[in-house]
Amino acid sequence: MEEMEEELKCPVCGSFYREPILLPCSHNLCQACARNILVQTPEAESPRSRRASGSGASDYDYLDLDKMSLYSEADSGYGSYGGFASAPTTPSQKSPNGVRVFPPAVPPPAAHLSPALAPVPRNSCITCPQCHRSLVLDDRGLRGFPKNRVLEGVIDRYQQSKAAALKCQLCEKAPKEATVMCEQCDVFYCDPCRLRCHPPRGPLAKHRLVPPAQGRVSRRLSPRKVSTCTDHELENLSMYCVQCKVPVCYQCLEEGKHSSHEVKALGAMWKLHKSQLSQALNGLSDRAKEAKEFLVQLRNMVQQIQENSVEFEACLVAQCDALIDALNRRKAQLLARVNKEHEHKLKVVRDQISHCTVKLRQTTGLMEYCLEVIKENDPSGFLQISDALIRRVHLTEDQWGKGTLTPRMTTDFDLSLDNSPLLQSIHQLDFVQMKVPATPILQLEECCTHNSSATLSWKQPPLSTVPAEGYILELDDGSGGQFREVYVGKETMCTVDGLHFNSTYNARIKAFNKTGVSQYSKTLVLQTSEAAWFAFDPGSAHSDIIFSNDNLTVTCSSYDDRVVLGKTGFSKGVHYWELTVDRYDNHPDPAFGVARIDVMKDVMLGKDDKAWAMYVDNNRSWFMHHNSHTNRTEGGITKEATVGVLLDLNRKTLTFFINDEQQGPIAFENMEGLLFPAVSLNRNVQVTLHTGLPVPDFYSSRASIA
């Protein structure tokens, strides 16, 4: 709570508020300090005289700042009032906390009178030391300002929390630290005195003993004082004027200036404003948390700058030493340049740390003060200051959002030693600004994989000043091999197709311009899909093929066999897909298998050397490649039959299934290269493709045994 202390001190005397009064501008002053800074104004200039002549309606009229006070840009303080008979002509004084205030312009009140009861000179004016707003007092004087009891309660709790440990009240000599308090006796005891004077038997056994801190709190919780109206001192504040935003009494509503205003119940508005202040504090709390994290970042930047400085100096020394004796004299000058840059960076960051620390301390102090205000049980007192606190909380939160949490300096030294000139040009040797672009940053949240494709996105660092003309994206082969370039261009996003399924790829990016290339980014690990999801490809299919169901279902308009391929090709891994027979009249011989992208599309699949297939009728099946028919197997297909295709590129085999049973032996071996799922059919057949399927369990078990 120490950071809250600034909120609890008077801007005039610099001490904790004593009998604080609440000004219409929502700032506070000690009652005695308010009297000390009163200034008398001429009758002709006073708002009271203007009201008497028919102008002005409010209790406190703020005077024109250009007439009533002179704001000095040189010292950020107040000048004296000028042009009035009673205006002081001595320079303004500065309070202990740095706020400039006016010297007393009126005699101090009599010793036997309190500041509130002592007479106030006619036409007295007071200027808030914090916001510079001036106002003229009416006949009530300082009694016209409400007392800020909430602030008094917060100060009391704060001072109590900093007080020394509670002592036993019954020790005869040196009091020991109290260990308990009896709520009925209202006495603090140490352990020996409790056993001697408060034994746990008889009537005393029913007394409640509590820890000292809890007992101190219970002592402090006295019945809440009833707030009275400043205009009608015998009336209690019972309602809240929505228009004027102040608590009012019954008489104010009947005959005062609030009679035509909208009013609400005091308790309801108390709860509403407490809720609003709590909500505002939530946002400010998030900003404070960000500020703490930002301070950690800045402190880390100091360390990074120091480390980079050491590293840069070492490189510089190494380069200079390589240029023999002719460079030694110049080396000292260059080191001085680096140190100067080092100190400049540190100064900027440390200044920002100092500024942010002060701002965070002020924010934390305001938060703690607001939290203590929320604990108050006095609705009217709370509502007197709640609007101002809510505005301050929002204003403080907005101040954090105006670029405050952005570093003003980078940790890198944008300098590079140019050691290419000839030896006779050594006397012209100087630092040149680095012209190689900064290392790009991969944006992990936008990088992803889908099937056998990978999409990568990157950007330049936010504080980079050297533009990049293009980028080079590199991927390895999915097996930990050498990197290869897959993209060169100006775009900051690229999708790479044709990768292996169920493979792990490493990706990296670098930027380039006319000067050279940057360092590589951090390596990003990408995992392609384990199972493929794909549909038939209308772009490569024969024109007689008819597509439906999002290209998952195909048939044909011709009585001749026509070929259609899947959209995704495979060159690595184990892949399984199925096709259900939706329509079949027991006469055609549809073929299922895999093919190269340039397979013939107007003949049965397997007729050329670019396809490997199983063609089947309602009784038996054959395997066919390059028009060679092998392995006749009994068992055919019917409507609603399921044909499975298993391509194992790890073992280089192709196997077929009908209704979850393997059809014949392994159909083909030595399967290599990029292969696409393929089907050939005519108008009497319709099939639907099912992808993303796991490898059949029995095959996985057999493969693991093998």
Side-chain angles (χ1 to χ4, degrees):
M1 295 177 62
E2 293 181 359
E3 295 176 334
M4 183 179 64
E5 191 167 307
E6 293 182 11
E7 297 282 339
L8 309 181
K9 291 185 176 180
C10 175
V12 177
C13 64
S15 303
F16 288 111
Y17 287 103
R18 295 183 296 275
E19 298 183 350
I21 59 175
L22 184 63
L23 301 181
C25 60
S26 299
H27 293 127
N28 300 280
L29 286 175
C30 297
Q31 199 169 63
C33 295
R35 173 168 291 279
N36 288 339
I37 63 173
L38 288 176
V39 174
Q40 189 172 357
T41 62
E43 179 73 20
E45 294 293 333
S46 70
R48 190 183 307 131
S49 63
R50 292 197 297 270
R51 286 199 300 270
S53 62
S55 63
S58 62
D59 290 341
Y60 297 102
D61 289 341
Y62 289 104
L63 307 179
D64 290 340
L65 295 181
D66 58 344
K67 293 182 179 180
M68 293 304 298
S69 61
L70 301 176
Y71 182 81
S72 171
E73 295 182 355
D75 61 3
S76 299
Y78 285 97
S80 61
Y81 290 140
F84 303 111
S86 60
T89 57
T90 57
S92 61
Q93 300 172 349
K94 186 172 288 188
S95 69
N97 63 351
V99 178
R100 290 191 178 274
V101 298
F102 294 106
V106 295
H112 64 282
L113 294 177
S114 68
L117 298 177
V120 174
R122 190 176 181 184
N123 298 335
S124 292
C125 153
I126 188 171
T127 300
C128 176
Q130 292 181 283
C131 66
H132 311 166
R133 299 175 74 178
S134 300
L135 57 98
V136 172
L137 277 62
D138 60 13
D139 295 334
R140 295 172 295 173
L142 296 178
R143 289 184 295 104
F145 298 112
K147 294 183 178 180
N148 194 338
R149 295 188 308 280
V150 172
L151 180 56
E152 283 184 301
V154 173
I155 293 173
D156 178 58
R157 285 199 299 272
Y158 179 75
Q159 291 177 326
Q160 294 257 5
S161 67
K162 297 175 69 70
L166 293 170
K167 301 297 183 180
C168 176
Q169 294 176 282
L170 298 181
C171 289
E172 296 180 355
K173 294 184 180 180
K176 298 180 181 179
E177 185 173 339
T179 57
V180 295
M181 175 204 173
C182 176
E183 289 188 334
Q184 285 70 31
C185 302
D186 196 22
V187 175
F188 291 94
Y189 298 95
C190 63
D191 286 336
C193 292
R194 177 178 58 84
L195 295 175
R196 185 177 68 254
C197 304
H198 200 287
R201 59 181 180 272
L204 297 179
K206 298 182 179 180
H207 287 199
R208 184 168 182 261
L209 302 179
V210 296
Q214 183 178 343
R216 179 168 60 184
V217 171
S218 63
R219 272 187 171 183
R220 207 166 58 239
L221 294 177
S222 58
R224 191 174 69 198
K225 296 180 180 178
V226 178
S227 303
T228 57
C229 180
T230 56
D231 293 329
H232 312 95
E233 297 181 355
L234 299 180
E235 296 289 339
N236 296 334
L237 297 172
S238 57
M239 300 296 289
Y240 181 79
C241 177
V242 177
Q243 181 174 338
C244 300
K245 297 183 178 181
V246 293
V248 295
C249 69
Y250 175 78
Q251 197 168 345
C252 290
L253 301 179
E254 290 294 325
E255 57 189 42
K257 65 177 182 178
H258 305 280
S259 58
S260 60
H261 295 175
E262 178 186 0
V263 295
K264 291 187 178 181
L266 197 65
M269 295 303 295
W270 174 41
K271 293 179 181 179
L272 175 62
H273 281 227
K274 274 198 173 186
S275 174
Q276 291 176 349
L277 181 56
S278 298
Q279 292 175 2
L281 281 176
N282 289 335
L284 186 59
S285 176
D286 293 339
R287 291 296 184 182
K289 182 179 179 182
E290 292 176 7
K292 291 179 181 178
E293 295 173 353
F294 180 62
L295 283 174
V296 172
Q297 178 186 353
L298 291 179
R299 294 187 178 101
N300 291 337
M301 287 180 64
V302 172
Q303 178 65 25
Q304 188 66 39
I305 289 175
Q306 292 173 337
E307 292 175 358
N308 289 351
S309 174
V310 172
E311 180 181 355
F312 190 83
E313 289 179 12
C315 293
L316 179 60
V317 170
Q319 289 175 330
C320 290
D321 288 345
L323 298 179
I324 61 174
D325 296 338
L327 295 177
N328 287 335
R329 292 185 299 271
R330 190 64 174 168
K331 180 175 65 176
Q333 299 176 4
L334 296 176
L335 282 173
R337 288 276 301 278
V338 173
N339 287 328
K340 182 178 180 181
E341 180 71 8
H342 171 210
E343 294 300 325
H344 171 67
K345 288 179 178 288
L346 289 180
K347 182 179 183 303
V348 172
V349 175
R350 284 170 175 163
D351 288 348
Q352 193 172 9
I353 289 176
S354 175
H355 174 74
C356 191
T357 300
V358 172
K359 196 171 189 65
L360 178 60
R361 183 172 65 251
Q362 293 172 347
T363 300
T364 305
L366 176 59
M367 290 171 56
E368 293 177 351
Y369 172 57
C370 291
L371 290 174
E372 290 299 322
V373 168
I374 291 176
K375 295 177 183 178
E376 284 297 314
N377 296 322
D378 182 359
S380 60
F382 177 85
L383 292 171
Q384 288 175 337
I385 63 173
S386 59
D387 281 303
L389 287 179
I390 292 171
R391 288 194 300 272
R392 288 185 61 193
V393 167
H394 285 305
L395 178 61
T396 304
E397 182 182 0
D398 292 340
Q399 290 174 348
W400 278 113
K402 298 177 180 177
T404 311
L405 303 183
T406 302
R408 299 174 184 170
M409 182 62 65
T410 66
T411 60
D412 296 329
F413 284 72
D414 296 335
L415 301 170
S416 178
L417 185 64
D418 183 8
N419 57 2
S420 60
L422 298 174
L423 188 62
Q424 60 267 28
S425 301
I426 288 180
H427 67 281
Q428 298 177 347
L429 187 64
D430 197 355
F431 284 116
V432 296
Q433 186 177 10
M434 294 179 64
K435 297 182 180 179
V436 175
T439 303
I441 300 174
L442 285 166
Q443 301 190 87
L444 303 183
E445 65 278 3
E446 297 184 14
C447 298
C448 62
T449 59
H450 176 71
N451 280 346
S452 60
S453 299
T455 299
L456 296 102
S457 177
W458 58 89
K459 65 179 181 179
Q460 281 292 99
L463 298 178
S464 174
T465 58
V466 180
E469 296 180 2
Y471 303 92
I472 301 173
L473 176 63
E474 296 183 358
L475 263 70
D476 66 2
D477 59 1
S479 301
Q482 295 293 323
F483 281 89
R484 68 187 191 281
E485 293 183 2
V486 296
Y487 172 77
V488 178
K490 297 181 179 181
E491 301 297 328
T492 57
M493 179 176 286
C494 175
T495 297
V496 183
D497 298 317
L499 303 178
H500 298 307
F501 282 90
N502 196 22
S503 300
T504 301
Y505 287 87
N506 295 306
R508 63 187 184 184
I509 186 76
K510 61 182 178 181
F512 66 87
N513 58 16
K514 294 180 180 178
T515 303
V517 296
S518 70
Q519 297 292 323
Y520 283 107
S521 67
K522 293 182 179 180
T523 301
L524 176 64
V525 180
L526 300 166
Q527 177 69 44
T528 54
S529 301
E530 182 176 355
W533 297 84
F534 59 92
F536 288 115
D537 182 16
S540 62
H542 193 279
S543 59
D544 291 339
I545 296 293
I546 301 173
F547 294 85
S548 60
N549 189 24
D550 293 330
N551 298 333
L552 292 174
T553 300
V554 292
T555 186
C556 183
S557 61
S558 172
Y559 286 105
D560 296 324
D561 291 309
R562 300 294 185 241
V563 174
V564 58
L565 302 180
K567 274 192 171 182
T568 301
F570 306 110
S571 59
K572 182 181 178 182
V574 182
H575 308 280
Y576 178 74
W577 61 95
E578 292 180 346
L579 300 107
T580 56
V581 180
D582 303 328
R583 189 176 72 247
Y584 182 67
D585 64 1
N586 297 331
H587 296 295
D589 297 333
F592 309 89
V594 296
R596 306 288 187 198
I597 190 68
D598 55 348
V599 66
M600 295 174 61
K601 307 295 186 351
D602 56 357
V603 296
M604 178 184 288
L605 192 68
K607 287 286 188 179
D608 62 1
D609 62 347
K610 304 295 177 62
W612 294 259
M614 175 188 74
Y615 70 93
V616 58
D617 59 19
N618 60 334
N619 292 316
R620 62 194 65 84
S621 67
W622 293 263
F623 302 148
M624 184 166 62
H625 170 64
H626 205 184
N627 205 25
S628 173
H629 307 253
T630 60
N631 295 101
R632 170 177 168 173
T633 304
E634 295 300 321
I637 62 172
T638 61
K639 181 181 178 181
E640 298 182 356
T642 299
V643 177
V645 183
L646 177 62
L647 178 62
D648 187 346
L649 291 170
N650 295 338
R651 302 172 65 186
K652 302 181 181 180
T653 62
L654 180 64
T655 308
F656 295 97
F657 302 83
I658 295 180
N659 295 330
D660 297 326
E661 296 290 338
Q662 183 171 332
Q663 184 73 1
I666 294 176
F668 301 101
E669 296 181 339
N670 300 318
M671 305 295 295
E672 294 180 329
L674 183 62
L675 300 171
F676 291 83
V679 175
S680 67
L681 42 70
N682 65 15
R683 65 182 301 164
N684 295 318
V685 182
Q686 177 176 298
V687 297
T688 297
L689 177 65
H690 305 277
T691 63
L693 303 177
V695 176
D697 294 337
F698 70 88
Y699 182 83
S700 301
S701 302
R702 188 174 63 185
S704 62
I705 294 174

